[in-house]
Amino acid sequence: MVQKFKEHVAAAMPFLNGKKLLLACSGGLDSVVLAHLCKALKFDFALAHCNFSLRGTESDGDEDFVRELASTFEIDVYVKQFDTEQYAEEQRLSVQMAARELRYKWFDELLQSKRYDYVLTAHHADDSLETFLINLSRGTGIEGLSGIPQVNGNVVRPLLPFSRNEIIEYAKSESIQWREDSSNASVKYLRNKIRHEIVPGIKELNPTFLQNFQHTQHHLRQINDLVNNHLNELKSKLFQQRKDKVQIKIAELQKLQPLDAYLYGLFNGYGFSEWSDVKDLLAAESGKQVFSKTHRLIKDRQSLILAKIERKESEAFEIHSDKAIDELPIKISLEDVETFEKQGQNVVFLDKEKLNFPLVLRNWKKGDYFYPFGMKGKKKLSKFFKDEKMDLISKEKQWLLCSGDDIVWIVGRRADERFKVDGSTMKILKITQFP
Amino acid sequence: MVQKFKEHVAAAMPFLNGKKLLLACSGGLDSVVLAHLCKALKFDFALAHCNFSLRGTESDGDEDFVRELASTFEIDVYVKQFDTEQYAEEQRLSVQMAARELRYKWFDELLQSKRYDYVLTAHHADDSLETFLINLSRGTGIEGLSGIPQVNGNVVRPLLPFSRNEIIEYAKSESIQWREDSSNASVKYLRNKIRHEIVPGIKELNPTFLQNFQHTQHHLRQINDLVNNHLNELKSKLFQQRKDKVQIKIAELQKLQPLDAYLYGLFNGYGFSEWSDVKDLLAAESGKQVFSKTHRLIKDRQSLILAKIERKESEAFEIHSDKAIDELPIKISLEDVETFEKQGQNVVFLDKEKLNFPLVLRNWKKGDYFYPFGMKGKKKLSKFFKDEKMDLISKEKQWLLCSGDDIVWIVGRRADERFKVDGSTMKILKITQFP
């Protein structure tokens, strides 16, 4: 068995010889067998272990195990702890996707800083089949069925042609120890069901099922390459660069059949996901927009305009109580008054003595919070914007009137509790926003 | 349940109303339910039943059942018997593929001659899933995973979104009778294994598995459309029409990545299947050819030439013993001799009195046979050619020397036993072929 593995790697990945390799090692069966294989091949390799801190002491046990393995092999080991859940929340990713991003980001850093040539991961044929079936059960496209290639840039997967059983055999024949992996429970449930209840039957359909499956995935990846070539040709024809924007003639898009698939193919790289909105845009009135996290598509007469959403440096304007305020980006007036009426959307009454002049008018920034008028306690602006169902552009356009660091008024939307007029107020300032 | 089916057809296939429909009816559960559904929808339809003669009396029982059904419904029924096994052998197809070809060919004839608008078939969601898994087990490309669309030209599949269980429920709720289908045993084995052992588990992975699966197949078909658009654009750029041939610059082909996938995509429509041969052709010496059943690809200096294989009408030349034979397409001499030597590849000795003049020199035609020299009994020429490993072009170029209908000599290869010189021979004719 060991011989078979060695021969495959020697034949399929001769370029690994003499290179500096970084082996992603969880401590589980697959990556530990891969480590032993690299040792048997006399490769120049180190271990890299991600501690995602998702399973408490169990995670730490895995880390110890990998450190121990490296020490036995007398090779380097890199370990990094991640706060996966926080990152997932911040980036609005699933925990799995977050772990994946963190992992590959760190590997890239290590490749660069420590001058490694390749990252080796221990994916095998059953992983591919299980992922295929998971994606199939959820509904997927060609990418979800195509699987991962054995060599993808500087990421290499030496075990990809081998089945889990072959890897277990390898481990047994060499009396290799490993850590039982108990990752994300819900994923594990689905994967385990597939592994134990579906895959054995499927493999029985054909004695060479796993090989055939690999050929199928290879074909699908090639088909995907063809599609990408096609879409890139199409983009270079249809996407006309205009300074920092791209203009696309709608009439040209309309010629494409099947339109849905083309719209998806042309724009999914820009983060769009609401396909019916994108499609509707073709027939919408001029000025209508659709947003992704990073881009916007604007209907502009006979064209669509694709533009990056600029996260421009926030501008800030000072407002002196006694100065003309013509140069402001919005039209507001400040007025000392004797009495106050009810706050309105475009009018606020403030306790002037609680304010520090000059006031500042600025856009929102991450971490902003305020004390909503009429409520107890503070609220993050991001939460407020979400509750108000504001889109990205509206959020960026939103002006905040501030006293020092404190938000006084979310202009045109909500005043702050801290600056309200109360029984002890001596001077009332009325601020009005004009359309 | 009936209502659900009716609503789907009404909503998804409004174009069927008022049209003349031909329902492909095997007598099995699916097509019988479809017949009842058409009846419930008050469609104008007839039944078409193929008797593939593959299961003896059982096939005939199915036929009777379908005739009976049509008579109950008071609608027309068309029945045709096919000799599937013979057709499969003739066309070198699997029995399944042969049945499929025969069936759709006949439907097309009926559509034309009887002026029907659409053929309805009873494929359902489980059929698609089973076919997907069968193809997956064997290894496949995107076509093998994409499934069939609900409407494809004039073939419509009203039951495609429904599961087998829903169809059974329909049958039960209406007390519908059907014939149990026992088709091709080996296929049935695989399909049954998939149906009973794999599919139930797979469906449990996700409560909406079948719907998701249909979306996946829809995406794959769209991707396939994109690929075909891409390949057609490429063909119109690279394939230069030269009278009855197509010229393709090899340098242009070499630019394509992934090359394998492009060669497959560009040439598989012309029947080629030996992809390594096609690929090797790019670097082969000028004059080298690769053949499919219908086409040949010729390396011609910096280009590939794609040409149809012409099955030209066989030419025939008469050979009179006493006449100059300069006008023949090959160079042969006839000579009366006293003694005979051993037959050679290019020399034969014949009993002149057994021959009928003028002899005829012609190409081979289907059904040709001869009595190989030195052997007992006759042999089909097709068999002889195959044993000689002759390619299509060589077969077409092969000249046969004939006496009346009888083959005397497969020129340059093998003489016929019937015309050999023996003890009673009075006149010996020596025929020599010159290069």
Side-chain angles (χ1 to χ4, degrees):
Chain A
M1 189 49 65
V2 175
Q3 198 51 30
K4 188 174 166 192
F5 278 67
K6 282 169 79 172
E7 278 166 13
H8 167 72
V9 174
M13 287 154 275
F15 54 86
L16 293 180
N17 271 311
K19 288 295 188 324
K20 280 190 75 182
L21 311 176
L22 192 64
L23 195 164
C25 189
S26 67
L29 165 67
D30 310 329
S31 60
V32 171
V33 164
L34 180 56
H36 281 265
L37 177 60
C38 286
K39 188 71 188 170
L41 286 160
K42 301 191 169 64
F43 278 169
D44 175 8
F45 71 111
L47 303 182
H49 177 77
C50 302
N51 186 335
F52 293 112
S53 318
L54 291 170
R55 292 170 287 122
T57 54
E58 206 182 315
S59 293
D60 297 334
D62 293 346
E63 181 182 325
D64 295 344
F65 178 88
V66 173
R67 285 189 190 278
E68 188 62 32
L69 184 66
S71 128
T72 313
F73 283 170
E74 298 181 330
I75 58 175
D76 288 334
V77 58
Y78 305 93
V79 172
K80 185 157 179 172
Q81 301 220 352
F82 298 96
D83 190 340
T84 315
E85 277 166 357
Q86 192 198 319
Y87 184 80
E89 207 185 308
E90 276 172 22
Q91 301 292 317
R92 294 191 194 168
L93 294 169
S94 69
V95 169
Q96 261 183 297
M97 286 300 295
R100 194 189 139 80
E101 268 199 30
L102 287 169
R103 170 179 148 105
Y104 280 102
K105 230 156 116 181
W106 180 50
F107 292 159
D108 272 345
E109 286 164 22
L110 280 176
L111 280 183
Q112 293 258 330
S113 62
K114 307 286 180 186
R115 305 207 167 274
Y116 284 93
D117 299 299
Y118 294 100
V119 172
L120 306 187
T121 78
H123 291 99
H124 53 68
D126 280 275
D127 286 330
S128 295
L129 179 57
E130 288 162 18
T131 303
F132 178 97
L133 291 169
I134 287 174
N135 290 339
L136 190 69
S137 74
R138 290 173 176 162
T140 184
I142 188 166
E143 295 91 348
L145 301 180
S146 297
I148 39 179
Q150 185 152 23
V151 180
N152 192 13
N154 50 21
V155 180
V156 180
R157 298 173 171 91
L159 303 184
L160 206 57
F162 298 100
S163 67
R164 176 174 285 107
N165 282 340
E166 287 174 308
I167 292 168
I168 291 176
E169 259 188 74
Y170 187 118
K172 282 188 181 158
S173 74
E174 301 289 295
S175 309
I176 291 170
Q177 307 287 312
W178 69 87
R179 295 274 296 176
E180 283 303 338
D181 164 29
S182 77
S183 50
N184 187 296
S186 71
V187 173
K188 199 165 173 77
Y189 170 75
L190 190 60
R191 217 173 249 280
N192 267 337
K193 192 169 165 61
I194 286 173
R195 187 172 303 168
H196 299 299
E197 294 174 29
I198 313 282
V199 166
I202 282 193
K203 284 186 184 168
E204 278 173 22
L205 296 177
N206 195 309
T208 57
F209 183 90
L210 270 186
Q211 286 103 296
N212 301 351
F213 175 66
Q214 281 174 47
H215 290 143
T216 300
Q217 288 206 312
H218 175 71
H219 290 313
L220 292 178
R221 284 195 298 272
Q222 289 201 325
I223 286 289
N224 211 12
D225 288 345
L226 262 61
V227 170
N228 286 331
N229 290 348
H230 183 47
L231 291 171
N232 287 335
E233 279 175 16
L234 204 57
K235 279 185 191 174
S236 72
K237 225 166 54 184
L238 301 188
F239 283 27
Q240 297 173 287
Q241 198 68 43
R242 303 259 183 267
K243 282 186 193 164
D244 53 350
K245 293 181 286 193
V246 168
Q247 184 175 5
I248 308 132
K249 294 225 173 75
I250 289 172
E252 296 293 320
L253 289 177
Q254 296 277 24
K255 283 183 204 159
L256 302 171
Q257 287 301 331
L259 183 58
D260 293 25
Y262 276 104
L263 290 180
Y264 177 82
L266 291 172
F267 295 112
N268 92 82
Y270 304 98
F272 293 96
S273 55
E274 296 301 320
W275 296 104
S276 59
D277 289 357
V278 171
K279 200 175 173 185
D280 290 348
L281 202 60
L282 299 185
E285 62 187 63
S286 212
K288 177 105 180 147
Q289 305 187 38
V290 174
F291 295 92
S292 76
K293 268 191 189 172
T294 56
H295 285 74
R296 54 181 172 179
L297 261 176
I298 310 137
K299 166 82 181 259
D300 182 30
R301 284 162 297 170
Q302 313 305 316
S303 300
L304 291 188
I305 305 293
L306 176 66
K308 254 195 185 160
I309 295 173
E310 300 292 341
R311 301 197 176 274
K312 55 167 186 261
E313 281 307 300
S314 185
E315 287 177 284
F317 301 87
E318 294 193 350
I319 300 175
H320 300 264
S321 63
D322 52 354
K323 231 185 90 179
I325 45 177
D326 294 341
E327 71 274 28
L328 290 184
I330 52 173
K331 204 169 159 193
I332 58 177
S333 74
L334 277 64
E335 189 184 350
D336 294 321
V337 294
E338 297 298 318
T339 57
F340 72 97
E341 306 142 43
K342 200 176 171 303
Q343 310 264 19
Q345 277 217 325
N346 299 307
V347 186
V348 282
F349 296 88
L350 307 171
D351 186 330
K352 194 170 182 182
E353 290 184 323
K354 291 181 186 156
L355 298 170
N356 290 317
F357 282 85
L359 299 178
V360 173
L361 191 69
R362 63 165 175 86
N363 293 116
W364 81 286
K365 57 180 197 293
K366 228 173 167 173
D368 270 343
Y369 61 90
F370 78 129
Y371 291 75
F373 184 84
M375 287 175 63
K376 279 189 179 157
K378 67 180 180 179
K379 184 170 190 169
K380 278 190 176 175
L381 245 66
S382 56
K383 178 82 172 67
F384 173 77
F385 288 159
K386 204 175 164 187
D387 293 344
E388 295 267 299
K389 296 189 170 48
M390 289 166 68
D391 65 35
L392 200 54
I393 297 291
S394 307
K395 287 191 255 180
E396 284 186 355
K397 282 185 185 163
Q398 180 62 53
W399 291 104
L400 309 174
L401 185 68
C402 304
S403 166
D405 282 342
D406 298 334
I407 292 171
V408 172
W409 186 27
I410 299 171
V411 180
R413 293 187 182 264
R414 193 76 171 260
D416 191 284
E417 179 73 9
R418 291 167 292 180
F419 304 95
K420 74 174 179 187
V421 175
D422 58 23
S424 61
T425 301
M426 307 293 286
K427 292 181 176 175
I428 301 175
L429 181 69
K430 176 185 180 186
I431 308 186
T432 310
Q433 183 199 14
F434 300 95
Chain B
M1 188 48 68
V2 176
Q3 197 52 29
K4 188 174 165 190
F5 278 68
K6 284 169 77 171
E7 278 166 13
H8 167 72
V9 175
M13 287 155 275
F15 55 86
L16 293 180
N17 272 310
K19 288 294 190 324
K20 282 191 72 182
L21 311 176
L22 192 65
L23 195 164
C25 188
S26 67
L29 165 68
D30 310 330
S31 60
V32 171
V33 164
L34 181 56
H36 281 265
L37 177 61
C38 286
K39 188 72 187 168
L41 287 160
K42 300 190 169 62
F43 278 169
D44 175 8
F45 71 111
L47 303 182
H49 177 76
C50 302
N51 185 336
F52 292 114
S53 317
L54 291 169
R55 290 171 288 123
T57 54
E58 205 181 315
S59 293
D60 298 334
D62 293 345
E63 182 182 325
D64 294 344
F65 179 88
V66 173
R67 286 189 190 278
E68 188 61 33
L69 184 66
S71 128
T72 313
F73 283 170
E74 299 182 329
I75 58 175
D76 289 334
V77 59
Y78 305 94
V79 172
K80 185 157 178 171
Q81 300 219 353
F82 298 97
D83 190 340
T84 315
E85 276 165 0
Q86 194 199 317
Y87 184 81
E89 207 186 307
E90 276 173 21
Q91 303 291 319
R92 294 191 194 169
L93 294 169
S94 70
V95 169
Q96 261 183 296
M97 285 300 294
R100 192 190 141 80
E101 268 199 30
L102 287 169
R103 167 180 151 104
Y104 281 101
K105 232 157 118 180
W106 180 50
F107 293 158
D108 272 346
E109 286 164 22
L110 281 175
L111 281 183
Q112 293 259 330
S113 63
K114 307 287 180 187
R115 303 205 169 275
Y116 284 93
D117 299 300
Y118 294 100
V119 172
L120 306 187
T121 78
H123 291 98
H124 52 68
D126 280 275
D127 286 331
S128 295
L129 180 56
E130 288 162 17
T131 303
F132 178 97
L133 291 170
I134 287 174
N135 291 339
L136 190 69
S137 74
R138 291 173 176 160
T140 185
I142 188 167
E143 295 91 347
L145 301 181
S146 297
I148 38 179
Q150 185 153 21
V151 179
N152 191 12
N154 50 21
V155 180
V156 180
R157 299 174 172 92
L159 303 184
L160 206 57
F162 297 100
S163 68
R164 176 174 287 107
N165 282 339
E166 287 174 308
I167 292 168
I168 291 176
E169 260 188 74
Y170 187 118
K172 283 186 180 161
S173 74
E174 301 289 296
S175 309
I176 291 170
Q177 305 287 311
W178 69 88
R179 296 274 297 174
E180 283 302 339
D181 164 30
S182 78
S183 50
N184 186 298
S186 70
V187 173
K188 197 160 173 81
Y189 170 76
L190 190 59
R191 218 174 249 281
N192 267 338
K193 193 171 165 59
I194 286 173
R195 186 171 303 167
H196 299 299
E197 295 173 28
I198 313 282
V199 166
I202 281 192
K203 284 184 183 168
E204 278 172 23
L205 296 177
N206 195 309
T208 58
F209 184 90
L210 270 185
Q211 287 102 296
N212 301 351
F213 175 66
Q214 282 174 47
H215 289 144
T216 301
Q217 288 205 313
H218 175 71
H219 290 313
L220 292 178
R221 286 195 297 273
Q222 289 201 324
I223 286 290
N224 212 12
D225 288 345
L226 262 61
V227 171
N228 287 329
N229 289 347
H230 182 46
L231 292 170
N232 287 335
E233 279 175 16
L234 205 57
K235 279 185 190 173
S236 72
K237 224 167 54 184
L238 300 188
F239 283 29
Q240 296 174 288
Q241 198 69 41
R242 303 257 182 271
K243 282 187 193 163
D244 54 350
K245 293 180 288 194
V246 168
Q247 184 177 5
I248 307 133
K249 294 224 173 77
I250 289 171
E252 295 293 320
L253 289 177
Q254 296 277 24
K255 283 182 203 159
L256 302 171
Q257 286 302 330
L259 182 58
D260 292 26
Y262 275 103
L263 291 180
Y264 177 82
L266 291 172
F267 296 113
N268 93 83
Y270 304 97
F272 293 96
S273 56
E274 296 300 322
W275 295 105
S276 59
D277 289 358
V278 172
K279 199 175 173 185
D280 289 348
L281 203 59
L282 300 185
E285 63 187 62
S286 213
K288 176 106 183 150
Q289 305 187 37
V290 174
F291 296 92
S292 77
K293 269 189 186 172
T294 55
H295 285 74
R296 54 180 172 177
L297 260 176
I298 309 138
K299 166 81 181 258
D300 181 31
R301 283 163 298 171
Q302 313 305 317
S303 298
L304 292 188
I305 306 293
L306 176 68
K308 254 196 186 158
I309 295 173
E310 300 291 341
R311 301 196 176 276
K312 56 166 184 259
E313 280 308 301
S314 185
E315 288 179 283
F317 302 87
E318 294 194 348
I319 300 176
H320 300 263
S321 65
D322 51 356
K323 228 184 88 176
I325 45 176
D326 293 341
E327 71 274 28
L328 290 182
I330 52 172
K331 204 169 160 192
I332 58 175
S333 74
L334 277 63
E335 191 184 349
D336 293 322
V337 294
E338 296 297 318
T339 56
F340 74 96
E341 305 142 45
K342 203 177 168 305
Q343 309 265 21
Q345 276 216 324
N346 298 308
V347 186
V348 283
F349 296 89
L350 307 170
D351 186 329
K352 195 171 182 179
E353 291 183 324
K354 291 180 186 156
L355 299 170
N356 291 317
F357 282 85
L359 299 178
V360 173
L361 191 69
R362 64 165 175 85
N363 293 117
W364 81 286
K365 58 180 196 290
K366 228 173 170 174
D368 270 344
Y369 61 89
F370 78 129
Y371 291 75
F373 184 85
M375 286 175 62
K376 279 191 178 153
K378 67 180 181 181
K379 183 169 192 169
K380 278 190 173 172
L381 244 66
S382 56
K383 177 82 172 70
F384 174 78
F385 288 159
K386 204 174 163 189
D387 293 346
E388 295 266 300
K389 296 190 172 47
M390 289 167 68
D391 65 37
L392 200 54
I393 296 290
S394 307
K395 287 192 255 179
E396 285 186 354
K397 282 187 187 162
Q398 180 62 51
W399 291 103
L400 309 174
L401 185 67
C402 303
S403 165
D405 281 344
D406 298 333
I407 292 172
V408 173
W409 186 28
I410 299 171
V411 181
R413 292 186 183 266
R414 192 76 171 260
D416 190 284
E417 180 74 9
R418 292 166 293 179
F419 304 96
K420 74 172 182 188
V421 174
D422 59 22
S424 62
T425 301
M426 304 293 284
K427 292 182 177 176
I428 300 175
L429 180 67
K430 176 185 181 185
I431 307 186
T432 310
Q433 182 200 14
F434 299 96

